Amino acid sequence: MKEIKKPKKPLIYYYSIVLIVLLLFNVLAMPWLMERQIKSVDYNTFISMTEEKT
């Protein structure tokens, strides 16, 4: 009996899947990560920010 093997998918399919995942990560996750970065401010701005929150 001869086994019929399915043809392997070319690597371009796997590369395209990885590319799509990376693009989705850049579109969805990067803006969220960028807004969570620490922003440096001068001391007067820091004091005014703390006074506004209390």
Side-chain angles (χ1 to χ4, degrees):
M1 297 178 123
K2 290 183 176 177
E3 290 184 33
I4 300 174
K5 293 183 179 179
K6 293 182 182 178
K8 291 184 178 180
K9 292 183 181 179
L11 285 178
I12 191 73
Y13 291 115
Y14 299 114
Y15 287 139
S16 61
I17 290 172
V18 169
L19 183 65
I20 290 170
V21 168
L22 286 174
L23 286 173
L24 285 174
F25 176 76
N26 282 331
V27 169
L28 300 175
M30 286 305 286
W32 179 74
L33 291 173
M34 292 302 288
E35 71 184 29
R36 296 188 53 89
Q37 286 184 343
I38 298 172
K39 298 175 185 172
S40 61
V41 295
D42 62 294
Y43 185 71
N44 290 332
T45 308
F46 171 72
I47 294 298
S48 64
M49 289 169 68
T50 55
E51 288 175 354
E52 289 175 5
K53 292 190 179 188
T54 56

